[in-house]
Amino acid sequence: MAAQLYKTHTGQLFHAGSIVIINVGLPARGKTHGSRSLIRYMNWLGVKSKSFHMGQYRRRLYGPDISAEYFDLGNDGMTEKRSHAEDSCIDDIIEYLTVGSGQLAIFDASNLRADRRRYIYERFESKQIRPLFVEYICENDRIVEENIRKVKITSPDYVTMDADTAVRDFKARIKRMEPYYQTIEDGDLSYIKLYNVGEHIVVNNIRGYLQSRVVFYLMNLHISDRTIYLARSGESSNEGSGIRYAKHLHDAILRRTKERAAETLKKTGVDNSNKMLKVWTSTHVKSYQTAEYFVKYDNFPVRRRMLLKGLNPGICENLTLAEVKDKFPDEYHAYLRDPSYHDVSVRLEPVILELEREHDDLLIIAPESVLRCIYAYFAPKGLPDSLDSDAGERRVGISPSDENLRKTKTSAADWDEPAAEPSTKPEVPLDDLVEFRQYRQRHRGIDTEALAKGDPSQADGDDGEKKAPMLDSAFAAETNTVDVNKHMMAGNPTAQAEPDAEDDLYQMPEHLKVVEEKPVSEGNVAMASTMLTSIPEETESLVARMSSERSRDNSRVLGAVGSAVRYKKVHDPSERSSKATDDITMQKFKKRMRR
Amino acid sequence: MVGLPARGKTYISYKVSRYLAWLGVNCRVFNVGEYRRKIVGAQLDHSFFDPHNPVAIEQRLKCAVLALNDMFAWFEDVHNGVAIYDATNSTRSRRQMISDECRKHNVEVMFCESWCDDANLVDMNILEVKRTSPDYKGIKDPQMVLDDFRHRIDHYSEVYEPDPTVEEYDERLASYVRKINVGSQVVINRITSYLESRIVYFLMNIHIATRSVLFSRHGESMYNLNQRLGGDPDLSPNGRKYADALPSLISKLLGDQPLTVWTSTLRRTHQTAAGLPCKKMQWKALDELDAGVCEGLTYEDVEREYPEEYAMRDQNKFEFRYRGGESYRDVVLRLEPVIMELERQQNIMVISHQAVLRCIYAYFLDIGPDELPYLKIPLHTVMKLTWTAYGCDIQTYKIDIDAVDTHRAKP
């Protein structure tokens, strides 16, 4: 299925018109999680979408302390307040879809009553917006309780209470709403009913290509809490280090999984200790060998997937870039061209969907290009940011076998969509702020002494990576990457605020300490130039960007840059010194500017 | 497949198998009716299907099992694929037997049910399909066919146990899709793998209403006259004559049925469609294959300036990608939404370009990537596609206006 959809002359995709998805269902049924994931998928496809969460509107209008009566649908006194909040949300949606050039909006609220739904339906129809109702039904109490524990009790409404009290309070809230819940019965409406998180689906009167894509995606969604680990394969040139990396990887991940389970148990009371871990590797031998320890010791299922292969270099497969240049001078620039990333993303769509479907933890060992695309799907930002920021941040002062391990948590609390405009600060709910803080803590200050000496004993490699997903605006993301000179970061102090589990990964074994300074500078240059030429206002899909930039010069720069990095790595392994002294930094700066 | 006769099961089976083949999945249909005809012969009247006829029941079971065994043998050969077991499978016990057998052979099962209680639709179906089926060969009277078939359906209805609704539990563990009244409602249960969800997605988009799709290239363009590739030229005088002649041909073919016209975003297609009094829509996906650096050049120029590319293209025309442009494979991928939309819509006329039409044509007629780039799609011809029960029928109508031939044969 093509990830690329084409824009018509109206700027929207496929004559599908504007669609509003209206969520229906009792609380803790997975509505918000479904909405967020759908928005993420749609944006990746290139459909401009946004989710409008009623809870946020309510909090904005009436503050976080809301009396319990607000949720009592029988209480007429509160009806006006509720209608007011709802109407303001609907007005915003209409504005987004008509004037704001959005194409898909999700109205995320409970919408339990049939008459209210009819009113909303008519309001949208009158503006030529096609409504699609999605009803989340869950008959399994255990799932509902898990949902409550995972998501609801960390919301701003329950900041002051402890876990069990919060659960009880929330269950009471649900009970109060139950008598007013009327399931969708109107055969005229277009609706989808999801039972038990997609186990059973009833689809009625779906019209249009985009609506059927929505259904297709929702079929593949679930709400289990799981972690996805992305890792590169060990290096192939130096046998010993590759195998040691594999062992390191294995130990670190297992330890992390156990820790995560303990954390979750403590925080929310949900027991995840029996979680399985699945490993997906590409078909390359080195990927599969990196997963060896998982095969030998734990019997975790390891799957080799052809789809995880990287950019296909064709006949250039086993040559270094210099040799490519010699033998096939004409093809050289084609080799560097970015449309190949487009191929990877198109090819990856089934993988992305299967990722969504997996209930267990997942470790993906694949080439860098593939990991970038997968990461780009999860990161709320568009392509150039993730592509180039990865190129830079991944390689700071780490051992030759690229030990960067990245983690992305996909629980519902994560991945708050940022506001479309970089200028306005998005409203970030409390649980996300807590997340942010946890990541920001990892950014330790720069010790001037170490800076001068350029001692690379503690590589703070994952810093920038962690920052990338958590930055709250496109502008900040781009400027931050430019401002921070990666060479400075190489000299981070060894003293740490608190010891952390992953540190072992970044501790290099002594005999492996040949640090190559990867030319992350190139990444920054591209960032600078794109920052100057275009600050992306909203996220454009990966592939729409690719295709639109194909003919522009930018693409050449990006492409050249993207693989020049590769080129350097293969070609000059020994020339670099590991010091980030002033002279060398200056030299690099000059070289960078010359490029 | 599950469902009473004349519910469109075979039609759906062949469509799905064509779609999967287009995606690159090994696919085969095992039609139990064919087995029955081979073993017991065609030309049986409805009493053969009477559930109280013990001899017949045994024979029918034998056919079903034979088909099943053939299917497993095919799986052994291909290791990876989708087989469509096309039969009524109307009783729960039969479905249970099939699931058990499949589990023994490590084959995943997904039931696909077509449910229709609109009597008119069923009758229409019977007439269209069964009339030409080998079961009724030689019988001229459609009314007789109708009656006999209705009896057959009645026999089946006696024992029909449809897949359950949410309340019934034992079959709830099965994966199934159920289309109600040609897709106005669809019930999906326990669909787990990516391939299954792709199939379901496709099923949701197809329908069996009669309609036709018309294809045409744009009229002859200035670049065609000069044998140039790509670009965005205007129509030549001949091309304009073609555009003028088009509306009368269309009204002859379709009468006054509602029609929508899809064009690409290039000028020559708009100009060709200018005379048609219907709703028009532009699709960027229908644009001609992007020739990249070779846009606007003639084939001789390409041979002169990019000799290696020229040679490589002849070697593998399907996969070859122009520098800065696209390959046929890319076009196929970008056409997927168009094809999906074509399946959903009623009468459509597509005015597009040679490469794009080749891909669409190949999809509907099940033509592989080897022959796809060499299909003959001449200028100033309209092709009408009608769906018959088991495939597509193409009729071409050439308008008698001169045009150059832009076809390059396989070297």
Side-chain angles (χ1 to χ4, degrees), chain B residues 320-335:
Chain B
F320 174 77
R321 182 182 285 155
Y322 280 108
R323 206 187 303 180
E326 298 176 300
S327 65
Y328 270 100
R329 185 181 278 281
D330 297 333
V331 177
V332 162
L333 276 179
R334 79 164 142 92
L335 278 179

Side-chain angles (χ1 to χ4, degrees), chain A residues 1-2 4-9 14-15 139 191 195-196 198-213 215-216 219-220 330-331 333-334 337 339-340 342-343 346 349-351 353-354 357 550 556, chain B residues 19 23 164-166 169 172 176 183-198 200-201 204-205 281-285 290 308-309 312 321-326 330 333-334 336-338 340-341 344:
Chain A
M1 200 178 285
Q4 227 182 8
L5 299 183
Y6 278 86
K7 288 187 165 53
T8 64
H9 58 279
F14 275 123
H15 312 283
E139 299 147 347
Y191 65 80
Y195 289 81
N196 298 334
E199 190 184 275
H200 186 91
I201 305 179
V202 177
V203 172
N204 189 53
N205 245 335
I206 291 297
R207 290 173 268 154
Y209 178 73
L210 209 51
Q211 290 194 5
S212 59
R213 274 307 264 273
V215 175
F216 173 66
M219 274 196 279
N220 288 312
D330 281 325
E331 293 299 324
H333 67 270
R337 211 177 336 147
S340 30
H342 162 213
D343 292 341
V346 169
E349 209 234 5
V351 175
L353 283 170
E354 281 213 45
R357 237 203 319 278
R550 206 189 276 175
R556 285 298 156 102
Chain B
Y19 178 65
L23 286 183
T165 51
V166 188
Y169 220 81
R172 212 174 153 187
Y176 66 83
S184 70
Q185 238 206 26
V186 180
V187 177
I188 305 166
N189 195 52
R190 291 201 179 246
I191 294 297
T192 43
S193 73
Y194 177 71
L195 198 54
E196 281 177 6
S197 56
R198 272 307 270 276
V200 170
Y201 167 67
M204 285 198 310
N205 280 318
M281 284 184 156
Q282 291 183 34
W283 291 78
K284 191 164 190 331
D290 186 0
E308 338 82 49
E309 312 235 334
M312 280 206 291
R321 182 182 285 155
Y322 280 108
R323 206 187 303 180
E326 298 176 300
D330 297 333
L333 276 179
R334 79 164 142 92
E336 191 262 349
V338 176
M340 235 3 125
E341 199 58 32
R344 304 175 56 87

